[in-house]
Amino acid sequence: MSVNTFGRLFRFTTWGESHGPAIGAVVDGCPPGLALDESVVQPFLDARRPGTSKFTTQRKEPDAVRILSGVFEAPDGVQRTTGTPISLMIENVDQRSKDYSDVARAYRPGHADYAYDAKYGFRDYRGGGRSSARETASRVAAGAVARLVIPEVTIVAYVSEIGGDLIDPANFDLEEIGNNPFFCPDPAAAKRWEAIVDDARKSGSSVGAVVECYASGVPAGWGAPLYGKLDADLAAAMMGINAVKGVEIGDGFAAARLTGEGNADPMRPNTETGPDGAPEFLANHAGGIAGGISTGQPVTCRVAFKPTSSILTPQPTVTRPNEKGEREATELFTKGRHDPCVGIRGVPVVEAMMALVLADHKLLQRGQCG
Amino acid sequence: MSVNTFGRLFRFTTWGESHGPAIGAVVDGCPPGLALDESVVQPFLDARRPGTSKFTTQRKEPDAVRILSGVFEAPDGVQRTTGTPISLMIENVDQRSKDYSDVARAYRPGHADYAYDAKYGFRDYRGGGRSSARETASRVAAGAVARLVIPEVTIVAYVSEIGGDLIDPANFDLEEIGNNPFFCPDPAAAKRWEAIVDDARKSGSSVGAVVECYASGVPAGWGAPLYGKLDADLAAAMMGINAVKGVEIGDGFAAARLTGEGNADPMRPNTETGPDGAPEFLANHAGGIAGGISTGQPVTCRVAFKPTSSILTPQPTVTRPNEKGEREATELFTKGRHDPCVGIRGVPVVEAMMALVLADHKLLQRGQCG
Amino acid sequence: MSVNTFGRLFRFTTWGESHGPAIGAVVDGCPPGLALDESVVQPFLDARRPGTSKFTTQRKEPDAVRILSGVFEAPDGVQRTTGTPISLMIENVDQRSKDYSDVARAYRPGHADYAYDAKYGFRDYRGGGRSSARETASRVAAGAVARLVIPEVTIVAYVSEIGGDLIDPANFDLEEIGNNPFFCPDPAAAKRWEAIVDDARKSGSSVGAVVECYASGVPAGWGAPLYGKLDADLAAAMMGINAVKGVEIGDGFAAARLTGEGNADPMRPNTETGPDGAPEFLANHAGGIAGGISTGQPVTCRVAFKPTSSILTPQPTVTRPNEKGEREATELFTKGRHDPCVGIRGVPVVEAMMALVLADHKLLQRGQCG
Amino acid sequence: MSVNTFGRLFRFTTWGESHGPAIGAVVDGCPPGLALDESVVQPFLDARRPGTSKFTTQRKEPDAVRILSGVFEAPDGVQRTTGTPISLMIENVDQRSKDYSDVARAYRPGHADYAYDAKYGFRDYRGGGRSSARETASRVAAGAVARLVIPEVTIVAYVSEIGGDLIDPANFDLEEIGNNPFFCPDPAAAKRWEAIVDDARKSGSSVGAVVECYASGVPAGWGAPLYGKLDADLAAAMMGINAVKGVEIGDGFAAARLTGEGNADPMRPNTETGPDGAPEFLANHAGGIAGGISTGQPVTCRVAFKPTSSILTPQPTVTRPNEKGEREATELFTKGRHDPCVGIRGVPVVEAMMALVLADHKLLQRGQCG
């Protein structure tokens, strides 16, 4: 089966293949009255756009978004959402017309080629087709709309680790994230990563990365227990991003090594929010979620990206059954453009998925609890 | 909002609070004709049942399941599923009628008390109410039904780490899992864990744990890209279990430190499955899932459980607003029974969620691709 | 496939067979804080209960409902919904242990026996099993909860026609609905219907009926275009009731014979709601719904119930394949208790479905549009 | 809320407004391997296309569909579905740039203008925006894909009544449906309808219609009881079409006037299907559905279309609140192009919705029951 829709009240459906004419998303359930035109969405796509530095794939895509429905000029003269589906389309421009006969015939190890073939019996093999990370542009576009729904929330993601090299918390500076091609909040680490990623690129290898994301301003009470928990929805959202293999909320696996005392998030009355307001938490091991419901603390998660599977070193693999009905052993390596560290461009996607999950839960909470 | 249903074609809905008269699950979409009576479900509940060793909570619950619908004696004289909803009910027996006035008035840190109150404005505070891990008995019962749908699959889960102490792969022996109260496949580790968990219990503290689970026999092709990916659904299923803070598929976070070559899962023709059959994989870094679709290799995941939040050491917390509308600072500690390591009893729950996700995806694949 | 859940935000899932130990419903997504105990639900079940007059089936069921979860004593001392799933259970008491060998072997014409067998390959044939109208007791129980969500709405249903004999609008008196066993607002028609239904009962025949329902107090703006339109959801809700074969909104089929002028629902400013308030409609051909969204006028629908298929006259039918794998021609007639006019007891079910749809749409509207 | 997705396994999501740049549908869950290119879809759009006779609106739309994703050239050289989402786009060409200031300011009676404004607080008023019947082109396109999923089924719809004038069953000839602009199977009636519809057109009035549809070849066993019944899903599908006010399955409201004997659908062994095959039914009052599940007989339904609300006769209505916050009384009439009988062009839409529902249920049945 295909399930290309995400969300419950705030939903989006994506379509499109890496080398088809276009990709896109339909956002449904967006509240009416939010100011939206292409200029609201484009900056987020630009942040994810390939070809902007030598550390990402050299595919050149303008990724210019068009909004085809769901907006209209409001009485105040501003183009706003009408509450009807918002169709977002991005044309594919730089689908290099290379020769795909090798990947048509055999499966690239580490990619979804074999799995898609086993599932559907047939696949669009050009550039990974539907399984290409190109689809994440649609998520980023939808995420830009989701952000309009949750103006009270600030979402920040960054890379905290590349190829096993970690940022130093002592150097952490949010302002630095935009100053380097790695979304890295530690300028010293960014410097080191240049060499790591460039080495991987030159040798045709690839490296993994960890992306961290937090959302502040989320009020207590978002989350739909027990099977639409906020953390479970976030886990699905993040694990569903191409190349992601692990997700942590709050302390994650480290929590498994703490004692109950070490993991406690004590509370006290909060002088800022007033005597009956939200309590002040003295720690946030939980990552802002308890029982699947937000606590009012920042929602935090960590996401592990595997190294790009596209590498220059030939890997043993098999072909589709030939005319005699037999698979043959062969080798494949990536000839074309690729991302030496796919986790870098995952940052805007992680942010988008965080926004999409939170927007959905805000509406759900409003629906049930008023 | 509440979302108490899980799954798409094979779905289950749970209900019930820790100290209400009963808990239960309604399983919907189960194929007809599967042999099912209480004796099929009960062994799985017995494995999760509290009070079976000093290493788990002393609440004594028989956890006897009743099947109230969805089964009927087939022409062959065997009670079988009819394809209609299967209602499973488990009565609560040992809801100790202790004094709950302290937790009624204040929030237990690390628990969902404050979050539920913030969300719903009101809560059943007895033993955690709906947020209690007692609800997982319903999942285990539903999971027992799910297993009937996927007889080709073998699911095994075990604890691989408690309080930071890991099993030794050299000692790994599946047969040992049932020989100790920790679901531990390494008898030497099990011995050490006795001391670790007993120390935690005696000191009123708690420790975390990591549970690993794998499913073998899953054919290639299960998974519903792009927003019902098998790994994303597993991530949601596992992250939604009480006390879970992290989920990994395959190599998980370790993959982020590998190179593309080190993380490759090469393939070759498989002499066992025949010349046109499934290829043989030479590694399984991916954990049996690529592009959100199973590859035919074992599906593997790791799940991090935080230490139980219920501890004897008093923790600072706040009260609900009093008659003057003000929260007060106070302290709470756990008086009653508790699990010193909630991850242990998480093992049957992890297995159940794996079964539930796989059963759903088997039906989805059959529905779309025939 | 089975789909035993109805609704989007306010959802209910039913389970149970006619002759199993019990039937029930799990209501999920109900807002917290609503006063609810068994006494709130029971009166609606009593209105639907069989065996209350000679004009309905003689099966005697107390239909006593138990609430097993989702409620708790609030600080004000009143038992209230907590926002978690509400499990409602009704025990089956009067499952007469008659001999079912004939219906086990052959299919009752007009019933779902053959269809269930064709679908599932197997069925609980006792009293129709899952396809029995007994399940509608669960809907009525869930509907009683739904009404709490929409206190601003008044729902009234009644029988307008039995066996082709219509009520006279000139005699229409809502007060009369409770004064006769037919939910008939026209006392003269009720008198006539006694003979019609009694004749059918005595001769072992049955008659059809039309139920009309309206909901006043529905504000403008409920409905989820384009595939969750209020009228489409109502159509599904009503058509899904046992024995229903037709649904009309507003003028229904009569509208197909009107001209555009005759079908117009003109508006004018409404002095009651104030100068900027909802307009006053000068007609309601549309039945209170335009474009799938409520207009603020009463929502009206008409529902056609076929005559009960259980009759004393033997009907030709076929058996399940015998040991030689062959179907045999046979005849079946209803030996047991039956409703001579199933539409009568459909009235509380129609009301319940109206309440369930409206409650869901109220929450949906609040979720999206705030 | 907006819900612009229909279906469970075979789903489609539509987007677009009457006067936006384009409209479209994303079909998700379509099985792989079905031959599909634009030429498969276009004929169905041509049948629905406006401006083809003087009996329908004079808006000229080529309604040329583009397939933007989900298809690829298969090894056999044929373009086929890949199992991924199929994006269908139709550009709006003839959005006449007329002056919309009157409908911007006031609500057209009988249209969804007021309801949308009450719901969303704001609307795209040009040509009805999202509520325009123009959106049904997307349904027809999606329906063309659905037909590929159910090659065993033949779907035929036709108009049986216009302005109260019925076809004569004695004249019924399926071949005639394509020979007149009314989809009328009775040539004599078609002749009469020319005058009826032309009179309505000339006088700026409109007339209603009844569309009948049947699907033969549906095997027994499709339908998802109890809340995804085949008849309930059909009822929702049909009632959700613009201008529809009533739906009947089988005998519909006429069944309410039959006795149990008169409404019986007896069975006997079927010599054609073999001794263990599907039985032969001696009548089809049920319209091919019992208990919400198909019986193997033709699935039949009737759909009532109200007269088009767009008429030349001015109708009283109200404005949006003016700068003083007050609604004003005014009158509106339709200046532009309109369909004098919207039911005529409803025929391809009814067929499409029938196909979409059946395709979904075929996949659901295969998923659950194999």
Side-chain angles (χ1 to χ4, degrees), chain A residues 1-6 8 12-14 107-112 114-116 118-120 130-131 135 139 161-164 166 203-210 220-229 231-233 235-237 239-242 244-253 255-261 263-269 275-279 281-282 285-287 289-291 293-296 302-309 311-313 315-318 321 325-330 353 364-365 368-369, chain B residues 1-6 8 12-14 107-112 114-116 118-120 130-131 135 139 161-164 166 203-210 220-229 231-233 235-237 239-242 244-253 255-261 263-269 275-279 281-282 285-287 289-291 293-296 302-309 311-313 315-318 321 325-330 353 364-365 368-369:
Chain A
M1 184 190 181
S2 285
V3 175
N4 290 283
T5 298
F6 186 90
R8 292 179 174 85
F12 70 101
T13 301
T14 74
Y107 310 113
R108 295 170 301 161
H111 283 279
Y114 170 67
Y116 266 73
K119 179 176 192 64
Y120 297 115
R130 180 71 181 150
S131 71
E135 185 266 353
R139 306 185 192 202
E161 176 182 335
I162 282 186
L166 279 68
S203 62
S205 183
S206 62
V207 287
V210 173
W222 292 4
L226 290 177
Y227 297 106
K229 285 181 172 178
D231 41 4
D233 278 9
M239 193 68 91
I241 299 172
N242 305 51
V244 170
K245 302 304 288 184
V247 182
E248 297 180 317
I249 303 292
D251 282 5
F253 277 85
R257 300 192 169 178
L258 297 176
T259 60
E261 293 77 18
N263 190 54
D265 290 333
M267 289 171 266
R268 66 180 175 203
D276 66 342
F281 283 84
L282 306 179
H285 297 283
I289 303 175
I293 304 172
S294 61
T295 62
R302 296 178 78 244
V303 183
F305 286 81
K306 69 175 184 182
T308 321
S309 298
I311 50 177
L312 282 180
T313 311
Q315 296 288 326
T317 188
V318 301
E326 293 177 8
R327 295 191 189 280
E328 294 168 273
T330 185
M353 297 311 298
L364 287 169
Q365 171 64 1
Q368 189 189 11
C369 299
Chain B
M1 186 192 181
S2 285
V3 175
N4 291 282
T5 298
F6 186 90
R8 292 179 175 85
F12 71 101
T13 301
T14 74
Y107 310 114
R108 296 170 302 162
H111 284 279
Y114 171 66
Y116 267 72
K119 180 176 192 62
Y120 297 115
R130 180 68 182 152
S131 72
E135 187 266 353
R139 305 185 193 203
E161 177 182 334
I162 281 186
L166 279 68
S203 63
S205 183
S206 62
V207 288
V210 173
W222 293 3
L226 290 177
Y227 298 105
K229 285 181 172 179
D231 40 4
D233 277 10
M239 193 68 89
I241 299 173
N242 305 50
V244 169
K245 302 304 289 183
V247 181
E248 296 179 319
I249 303 292
D251 282 5
F253 278 84
R257 300 192 169 178
L258 297 175
T259 61
E261 294 77 20
N263 189 54
D265 291 332
M267 291 170 264
R268 64 181 175 203
D276 67 341
F281 284 83
L282 306 178
H285 297 283
I289 303 174
I293 304 172
S294 61
T295 63
R302 297 179 77 245
V303 183
F305 285 82
K306 69 175 183 180
T308 320
S309 298
I311 50 177
L312 283 180
T313 311
Q315 298 288 327
T317 190
V318 301
E326 293 177 8
R327 297 191 188 281
E328 294 169 271
T330 184
M353 296 311 298
L364 287 170
Q365 171 64 0
Q368 190 189 10
C369 298

Side-chain angles (χ1 to χ4, degrees), chain D residues 158-161 165-174 176 184-190 192-193 212 302:
Chain D
Y158 51 86
V159 178
S160 67
E161 175 181 336
D165 185 53
L166 281 68
I167 58 170
D168 180 347
N171 294 342
F172 193 96
D173 181 355
L174 283 179
E176 290 292 332
C184 178
D186 169 358
R192 297 193 303 271
W193 294 354
E212 299 187 358
R302 296 179 79 244

Side-chain angles (χ1 to χ4, degrees), chain A residues 51-75:
Chain A
T52 51
S53 83
K54 66 178 175 179
F55 306 108
T56 62
T57 176
Q58 293 309 297
R59 178 169 173 173
K60 304 280 188 206
E61 286 288 353
D63 277 357
V65 68
R66 281 186 68 201
I67 301 178
L68 296 174
S69 65
V71 292
F72 193 62
E73 190 184 299

